[in-house]
Amino acid sequence: MKKYHPGTALCATPIALAIMLLAGCGSNGSDDPPVQIKTLSTRADLVTDGDAMVEIVLPSGAQADGLKVEVGGRDVTSAFALRDGRLTGLVTGLAAGENTLVASSRGASAAELKITNTGRGGPIISGPQTVPYVCATPTPQAANGTQPATHASGLGTAAVDAQCNIATEYKLYYKTTAANCSFALPDPTPNVPFDATTPPAAATPPANPCFKPYTVGSTPADLATTTTDNGASVPYIVRVERGTMNRGIYDIAVLFDPAKPWTPVAPQAQWNGKVLYQFGASTGQPRRQFRPATAWTDDKSLSRGFMVVANSLTDSLQNSNRVMMTETVMMMKEHISDSYGSIKYTMGSGCSGGSINANMNASIAPGLLDGMTISCAYPDSESTLLEVNDCVLLVEAYQKPAWLNLMTNAGLTPAQANAKKAAINGHRDQTGCHAWYNRFGTNAQVGNYFTRTVVDNTTGAISQASTLTNNCQLPTSQVFDKTSNPNGARCSAWDWATSIWGKSGDGNRSRETRDNTGVQYGLKALMDGAISGEEFVTLNEIIGGVDKDSQLVAARSQADTTALDIAYKAGIVMSGQQLAKTAVIDMRGYDDSLIDVPPGITAFPQALVGIHHQWRSFSIRDRLDKANGNHDNQVIWRFGRSGFTPSTAMATSAFLTMDEWLTKLKADSSSSTIQQKLKAAKPAGASDYCVLSSDAAQATKVTDTAACDADPYLRKAASPRQVAGGPLTEDVLKCQLKPVNVADYNGLLNAAQLSRLQAVFTTGVCDWSKPGVGQQPAVSWLTFAAGPGGQPMPAEPVSRAR
């Protein structure tokens, strides 16, 4: 059969268009090059919720008026049109699993692209979801028998399946012109303890809210206007989309004109295409569905045309599975692209656990976030847990008779004894470890437990609660107990993420990374003369560890070596090499003590929590420097007397500086690496400075690093692991060992003490000159769909000729 080519009589006639494929035009039989098919909102194998934004790229000489697009035998050509010079369309109605999209056009042969669609309940790359999981309800419900109390979803209907999918709703609000209004959520819901047996009272909206419900067609007398960064002056009306994604509840807020349509191929002009993604603080692993912990009412971003986004599964308090959290961000971004339009860039924000999630996104899946403004920052949860676990062991050890007897026999005052604790802990004073013990010392508990709390910051005395609780937020009868319920739900962060870590040889518990084998607590304090040889040896004799059920034991903790490999390979221990691909402004306030407050300050804007220590920002920087030879992508702004989160002025300045940075970054179309582009785009305002604690107005920027470091409330301290000889990077989860060497102690230990020390460290002490056990470069991205441990993502699907 003769082949026909563009320009021949058959291919040029309108009648022939109906028989193009049969005739060979645009088919396997054609010599014409094939079209190319691309998914724009995500990879073709990571599509969710049944829709995908698709681009058809025609080869030179091909014509769009002959385009035909099918998926699963269904014609979807009408979705496509030439927009901004590109042939794009939103393909909807994708079936679960693999879909074949076929496209052809006049002057181009047909091609196909395999698109894999997953429901909005997930998962995609994080592996099987942990169960049980309790869905939120339209109104909060009290605990009843084996059913824990439920949170209110903020939605009007119930979940329709076990993945807690709830129908999406949209609400309109307007910003008022009222003075001194509150930016608290206008529709709050109460926090409900999981064992609450009486219906909770409704949460009270603010008395003078900045955002009020808006009725379409109305013009409230107090309706504010705003000018976006595109220069458009518009009524300050916001649409909030609330729904569920990957079992989390999300909010998407953006300026909106109710009188006009909004489609992903024709977004309303007041959206500037930029996304502010908010990550919630703290850390936890409850088996209950919550609303987002952050508020969408962020005036500095909304008023300028940004979209504000949050999902409860990206709140660290609600989800300790960092891969699932990262996956949720990916799914949210795809949903935005498919529902609202193309995203110019995504800026992350968060404090404390929120900063962990921002950093984890950059480490596990670089590219999801283009930049971040973070405060009270930690690099990741696994290495932060080093300090938490060490503090738990030290606080307990200081209350043991062997240690107390040493203090008593030496005739030390409480202040002298606490000075020794501070030297061992590496902190400003003894309360840094008290704060960790009280706030997160039980966060790794796997079963039901009685909370233990330091009740006296001078003596370090501990009190134990009389009622049981658990970290799953499930009825006690459903939770692990070694004797009575060994198959019950386990509630540590590792058990919440078993799909990532896998299970140990006993098949019950998840693998984990806790380890203090070979750690010589107080080593630097000994060498500096802050503690005696007897105190050093005694401490290391009594410190002990925790077993796999989180119980204090005399033996040191032992990590699962497979878990160590996973932690590093997956980027769950934050990789400096990966973080270097994301712009970072790190705002570091003072929160190094529960009792030491800067002079002249009677109270901080926030209550002191004592865990957001100055050294953490420099630990992140040290990882960048060691991995890349520079920290060109990171800026640190320190402040001494404004609390541990930045002032409104500083937060706004960081936001605007990051906006400038990312705008310049996205304008760079060169072939330079992302690291080179970040450096080139870095604005003049993105440089280190501090505001001294002596500056009452907190207004003068000091760029002299030495002057900043000399401020006692800006100077970085250390951690127990660093005092034991570990690096500032604090990224060695388990150290390699070396034999005890008498010469290492400079004659500070006598023969008997050396013998006792060798009895403690029979397998050796930490060799900090070597990498950690299992320490290796991160691999991006990994998928855990095929099982724990993860595999590198396969090559992105591309279209092929039919």
Side-chain angles (χ1 to χ4, degrees):
M1 181 177 178
K2 181 180 178 180
K3 292 183 180 178
Y4 291 86
H5 303 279
T8 64
L10 177 61
C11 289
T13 61
I15 296 175
L17 294 179
I19 56 172
M20 284 176 61
L21 295 178
L22 292 176
C25 300
S27 71
N28 261 346
S30 173
D31 292 332
D32 298 326
V35 302
Q36 293 182 48
I37 311 169
K38 302 177 181 179
T39 53
L40 300 179
S41 47
T42 191
R43 287 173 44 133
D45 53 352
L46 301 178
V47 168
T48 61
D49 203 25
D51 50 22
M53 187 63 69
V54 175
E55 179 181 11
I56 308 296
V57 181
L58 300 178
S60 177
Q63 299 184 31
D65 61 358
L67 180 70
K68 183 174 183 180
V69 186
E70 293 183 340
V71 62
R74 177 168 51 92
D75 192 323
V76 294
T77 308
S78 61
F80 288 83
L82 197 62
R83 302 177 177 99
D84 298 323
R86 303 170 72 184
L87 197 55
T88 59
L90 180 68
V91 177
T92 61
L94 296 172
E98 187 175 274
N99 297 259
T100 301
L101 188 144
V102 181
S104 61
S105 190
R106 183 148 52 95
S109 63
E112 67 177 33
L113 177 65
K114 301 293 185 182
I115 298 177
T116 304
N117 171 55
T118 302
R120 66 162 45 204
I124 307 175
I125 62 172
S126 64
Q129 295 169 331
T130 300
V131 292
Y133 188 75
V134 180
C135 302
T137 49
T139 58
Q141 303 296 313
N144 183 11
T146 59
Q147 178 73 20
T150 63
H151 276 282
S153 63
L155 293 160
T157 60
V160 297
D161 54 29
Q163 286 186 296
C164 299
N165 286 311
I166 307 173
T168 302
E169 297 177 8
Y170 302 88
K171 293 182 180 179
L172 296 175
Y173 295 89
Y174 73 94
K175 168 71 168 56
T176 77
T177 56
N180 303 315
C181 62
S182 169
F183 281 100
L185 280 171
D187 65 335
T189 55
N191 287 325
V192 187
F194 72 93
D195 54 357
T197 55
T198 56
T204 303
N208 182 23
C210 292
F211 288 94
K212 296 180 180 179
Y214 175 78
T215 301
V216 176
S218 67
T219 307
D222 58 345
L223 172 62
T225 59
T226 187
T227 301
T228 70
D229 62 9
N230 291 330
S233 182
V234 297
Y236 201 155
I237 300 171
V238 175
R239 189 182 77 172
V240 178
E241 176 188 345
R242 181 167 295 153
T244 56
M245 185 75 68
N246 212 18
R247 300 201 301 184
I249 299 173
Y250 69 81
D251 284 339
I252 297 174
V254 66
L255 290 173
F256 188 78
D257 183 347
K260 297 180 180 178
W262 188 321
T263 69
V265 295
Q268 291 188 5
Q270 65 272 16
W271 180 40
N272 58 20
K274 304 169 185 177
V275 171
L276 175 68
Y277 200 107
Q278 299 177 322
F279 296 95
S282 193
T283 192
Q285 44 277 347
R287 305 288 184 87
R288 296 196 293 162
Q289 189 181 40
F290 291 75
R291 280 179 59 176
T294 58
W296 55 262
T297 52
D298 186 78
D299 180 59
K300 72 179 184 299
S301 53
L302 285 174
S303 65
R304 290 176 168 87
F306 279 70
M307 177 180 290
V308 179
V309 182
N311 184 306
S312 59
L313 261 292
T314 59
D315 292 337
S316 188
L317 178 63
Q318 319 303 352
N319 177 20
S320 293
N321 183 331
R322 309 301 169 178
V323 177
M324 183 197 299
M325 175 274 301
T326 301
E327 169 187 69
T328 304
V329 175
M330 176 185 73
M331 294 172 70
M332 290 296 298
K333 289 190 64 175
E334 188 214 355
H335 173 67
I336 293 165
S337 297
D338 290 346
S339 302
Y340 291 88
S342 178
I343 298 173
K344 289 182 179 178
Y345 73 66
T346 305
M347 182 195 307
S349 69
C351 164
S352 194
S355 71
I356 287 176
N357 279 352
N359 283 322
M360 287 291 84
N361 261 270
S363 181
I364 294 171
L368 283 179
L369 300 180
D370 299 292
M372 65 180 83
T373 60
I374 54 177
S375 58
C376 30
Y378 304 104
D380 57 74
S381 53
E382 295 302 305
S383 59
T384 300
L385 197 59
L386 293 175
E387 188 175 33
V388 180
N389 286 336
D390 286 344
C391 279
V392 168
L393 296 175
L394 288 165
V395 167
E396 292 282 352
Y398 297 145
Q399 295 301 303
K400 293 179 179 178
W403 182 264
L404 293 174
N405 288 339
L406 285 176
M407 301 298 101
T408 300
N409 294 339
L412 299 182
T413 65
Q416 291 171 323
N418 285 330
K420 290 181 181 291
K421 294 176 185 178
I424 295 165
N425 301 351
H427 296 155
R428 187 176 187 87
D429 56 49
Q430 76 281 4
T431 65
C433 268
H434 294 173
W436 275 125
Y437 186 93
N438 286 356
R439 293 234 166 210
F440 294 102
T442 55
N443 196 60
Q445 288 287 341
V446 303
N448 298 306
Y449 64 92
F450 296 100
T451 302
R452 289 171 63 78
T453 307
V454 175
V455 292
D456 189 320
N457 279 324
T458 300
T459 66
I462 300 170
S463 176
Q464 182 166 297
S466 58
T467 56
L468 283 171
T469 190
N470 64 72
N471 295 324
C472 289
Q473 297 191 12
L474 292 172
T476 56
S477 62
Q478 298 177 12
V479 173
F480 169 83
D481 182 275
K482 189 172 185 178
T483 302
S484 63
N485 193 16
N487 295 318
R490 294 175 65 94
C491 304
S492 74
W494 299 284
D495 294 298
W496 174 240
T498 299
S499 62
I500 308 304
W501 305 108
K503 293 195 174 184
S504 63
D506 64 13
N508 184 29
R509 65 172 184 84
S510 176
R511 299 187 185 110
E512 59 169 89
T513 63
R514 281 183 293 190
D515 195 283
N516 67 338
T517 303
V519 176
Q520 299 184 83
Y521 291 98
L523 179 61
K524 184 178 184 297
L526 169 70
M527 306 307 288
D528 292 344
I531 62 174
S532 69
E534 183 61 26
E535 290 162 347
F536 171 70
V537 173
T538 298
L539 179 64
N540 282 284
E541 286 176 326
I542 66 175
I543 192 77
V546 291
D547 66 14
K548 300 305 184 182
D549 296 326
S550 297
Q551 301 305 300
L552 295 168
V553 293
R556 297 293 182 105
S557 307
Q558 290 272 7
D560 295 287
T561 55
T562 300
L564 297 171
D565 289 335
I566 294 169
Y568 291 112
K569 184 175 69 172
I572 296 171
V573 173
M574 193 209 74
S575 161
Q577 184 177 17
Q578 301 287 56
L579 183 65
K581 302 171 186 176
T582 305
V584 181
I585 297 178
D586 182 333
M587 294 167 280
R588 174 60 63 181
Y590 174 75
D591 187 37
D592 284 38
S593 169
L594 293 173
I595 58 176
D596 190 359
V597 178
I601 305 298
T602 56
F604 277 112
Q606 309 92 12
L608 286 169
V609 297
I611 60 174
H612 304 101
H613 301 166
Q614 291 281 330
W615 69 267
R616 286 288 178 182
S617 294
F618 296 93
S619 175
I620 295 171
R621 174 162 289 185
D622 204 34
R623 293 193 198 183
L624 288 167
D625 287 338
K626 289 184 176 177
N628 310 289
N630 64 71
H631 52 266
D632 293 337
N633 68 305
Q634 185 212 34
V635 175
I636 300 176
W637 294 353
R638 286 184 276 174
F639 49 100
R641 63 191 282 166
S642 300
F644 61 88
T645 59
S647 65
T648 299
M650 180 179 282
T652 300
S653 176
F655 173 80
L656 295 176
T657 302
M658 184 57 68
D659 176 39
E660 181 183 358
W661 195 345
L662 297 182
T663 299
K664 291 180 179 178
L665 175 70
K666 291 301 182 179
D668 186 344
S669 59
S670 71
S671 60
S672 300
T673 66
I674 183 62
Q675 294 92 331
Q676 292 168 335
K677 289 182 179 182
L678 282 168
K679 182 178 181 179
K682 194 173 184 179
S687 58
D688 289 357
Y689 74 82
C690 76
V691 183
L692 299 175
S693 61
S694 58
D695 181 356
Q698 291 287 282
T700 302
K701 296 179 180 180
V702 177
T703 57
D704 181 352
T705 301
C708 296
D709 291 344
D711 187 320
Y713 295 95
L714 297 177
R715 185 186 304 130
K716 68 178 183 292
S719 70
R721 211 50 78 104
Q722 291 166 51
V723 175
L728 175 60
T729 50
E730 197 98 338
D731 57 355
V732 176
L733 302 182
K734 178 180 177 64
C735 63
Q736 296 192 56
L737 302 177
K738 64 180 181 179
V740 174
N741 186 347
V742 174
D744 290 342
Y745 304 97
N746 295 343
L748 295 172
L749 303 179
N750 61 36
Q753 290 165 345
L754 281 167
S755 178
R756 289 162 54 198
L757 196 68
Q758 288 173 326
V760 172
F761 298 109
T762 56
T763 58
V765 296
C766 287
D767 185 348
W768 299 110
S769 68
K770 297 179 179 178
V773 176
Q775 196 163 7
Q776 59 191 281
V779 177
S780 175
W781 299 6
L782 294 185
T783 174
F784 297 80
Q791 296 294 326
M793 290 285 291
E796 183 173 357
V798 296
S799 61
R800 63 179 183 84
R802 283 176 70 86

